[in-house]
Amino acid sequence: IFWYGKPYEYPNETEIEYFKELPTVWDDYVVLEGSPTEYFSIARKSGERWFVSSHTYKARTAELNLDFLEDGKNYNAVVYGDYASDRVGKAYHENLTKKSVLDFSLSLNGGAVAIITPENYPVAVQEPEPQGPEPQELENPEVIQPEPLEENVELAEDTEEEKPIETFVHKLSDKNISFKIYPNPAENIIKAETLSKRISIFDISGKKVLEITNFESSREIDVSGLKSGVYIISDGKKSVKFLKK
């Protein structure tokens, strides 16, 4: 996210907060549950903290046993949930033990993550932000007036064709809006129901990997040439995620 992410793809500060805490080196891991092509949950340990991740392709509730925690210790957890296509929520749990159960309410093609930390875990001290000099007011500041527009000048209206399609990547569609793709996950072929004549597919880094013009609704789209992973398909106004097996 910090190397390849674009600012407009991550407008939610809560989502950025989790990635700042996420390690890249692990000391241990435990597979908590899983069913091929349906869902999985895994816990990974870094130092004294556990990072739990749960993903699903169908809406479900995950009930995760925390018996991997150390006996005799209490823990606190902060949970980040993919509760909506454009919103990441956060919740807190206290006094967890190895006998506790952590519930994740997972939406369609969504997921949730948790950071489980021992009580009295030392919090890193943040360095104070550098303070610059106080701004000084100018005496008799010059006020610059904008030049008036010439008469009879028509302002060009923004059109959908003039806007770069990449600006729509992060605006994932609500499930009630009529832009559907199926099957999801997909192997080689997907179909899209949309009134748009142009379909674009982006990889998770925002790079356009496929574009179709003069598209007809429910027409088959060949995605066999794409690598396995998560992609975003857009009709120019709305976007949805899909998984390529």
Side-chain angles (χ1 to χ4, degrees):
I1 178 175
F2 295 106
W3 288 359
Y4 303 111
K6 299 178 178 63
Y8 63 75
E9 294 177 334
Y10 300 94
N12 191 302
E13 292 184 5
T14 303
E15 187 174 6
I16 301 295
E17 176 183 295
Y18 170 73
F19 280 105
K20 287 181 178 179
E21 296 293 327
L22 188 64
T24 56
V25 178
W26 306 100
D27 302 317
D28 196 3
Y29 75 94
V30 178
V31 177
L32 304 178
E33 62 170 4
S35 180
T37 74
E38 294 184 10
Y39 62 87
F40 75 91
S41 299
I42 189 171
R44 294 186 289 187
K45 186 180 183 182
S46 177
E48 296 185 67
R49 298 192 296 175
W50 284 91
F51 292 76
V52 178
S53 180
S54 189
H55 306 264
T56 185
Y57 304 125
K58 295 182 180 179
R60 64 184 295 266
T61 297
E63 297 181 353
L64 307 179
N65 293 317
L66 303 183
D67 52 6
F68 54 86
L69 298 178
E70 187 174 340
D71 194 15
K73 277 190 175 182
N74 288 351
Y75 294 80
N76 298 325
V78 55
V79 177
Y80 300 85
D82 185 16
Y83 298 117
S85 60
D86 59 350
R87 181 172 63 87
V88 175
K90 183 167 65 171
Y92 297 92
H93 299 268
E94 296 181 345
N95 299 321
L96 299 175
T97 68
K98 67 178 307 176
K99 297 181 180 180
S100 301
V101 175
L102 192 61
D103 293 339
F104 285 165
S105 181
L106 305 176
S107 58
L108 178 69
N109 288 328
V113 294
I115 303 176
I116 303 178
T117 305
E119 285 187 344
N120 303 320
Y121 184 81
V123 179
V125 178
Q126 296 183 352
E127 294 292 336
E129 296 184 1
Q131 300 294 327
E134 293 292 332
Q136 299 179 357
E137 294 185 2
L138 298 177
E139 296 182 1
N140 302 322
E142 180 183 358
V143 179
I144 301 177
Q145 297 292 341
E147 295 182 1
L149 294 175
E150 297 180 8
E151 295 184 0
N152 302 324
V153 174
E154 295 184 0
L155 299 179
E157 296 183 357
D158 289 338
T159 64
E160 180 179 315
E161 298 297 326
E162 293 172 346
K163 295 180 180 179
I165 190 67
E166 285 77 7
T167 59
F168 298 110
V169 172
H170 71 289
K171 298 179 181 179
L172 301 178
S173 305
D174 187 273
K175 61 183 178 182
N176 295 322
I177 298 177
S178 57
F179 177 49
K180 301 178 181 179
I181 64 167
Y182 55 91
N184 190 7
E187 292 187 355
N188 297 317
I189 298 295
I190 60 174
K191 292 184 178 181
E193 294 182 3
T194 175
L195 299 178
S196 177
K197 296 297 182 182
R198 181 175 63 183
I199 293 291
S200 300
I201 297 180
F202 302 83
D203 64 18
I204 200 64
S205 69
K207 179 182 178 181
K208 185 185 294 184
V209 295
L210 183 64
E211 184 172 57
I212 300 174
T213 56
N214 298 323
F215 181 79
E216 297 179 1
S217 186
S218 297
R219 169 184 165 188
E220 291 187 348
I221 303 174
D222 185 1
V223 294
S224 60
L226 301 180
K227 297 180 180 179
S228 299
V230 178
Y231 291 86
I232 298 174
I233 181 170
S234 172
D235 68 351
K237 292 183 179 180
K238 315 173 194 73
S239 301
V240 294
K241 291 185 290 187
F242 77 93
L243 178 71
K244 169 65 169 62
K245 292 184 180 179

